[in-house]
Amino acid sequence: EPDVTIVSGLKDMVVFEGDDVTFRCQVSHENARDVEWKLQDVALQNNEMNEISVEKGKIHTLTLKKVTEQDIGTITFRVGPHTSTA
């Protein structure tokens, strides 16, 4: 299985309270496994507040819905041993 790397990393975002914000990270291969999103070192799950998806097989997205001050912090995307933060 080829080593999946990060082709295009996360970008820092500034948003207003109550808005949605989307982070994107592109990886080198489709169907990457061992992928994880974190906010302040807490693993995020796909739920009504966090929408985690994959576009075109390689672009992993995380949308935080209706952000609050508690959502301020570092977002981390990890695939295998590679990470990107914003």
Side-chain angles (χ1 to χ4, degrees), residues 17-18 65-72:
E17 195 167 28
K65 301 197 184 244
K66 297 183 175 71
V67 295
T68 66
E69 270 188 41
Q70 285 73 41
D71 295 317
I72 292 172

Side-chain angles (χ1 to χ4, degrees), residues 10-28:
L10 300 177
K11 293 179 176 39
D12 291 343
M13 304 292 273
V14 176
V15 293
F16 293 101
E17 195 167 28
D19 286 352
D20 295 353
V21 60
T22 299
F23 295 91
R24 287 183 179 81
C25 202
Q26 183 175 345
V27 298
S28 58

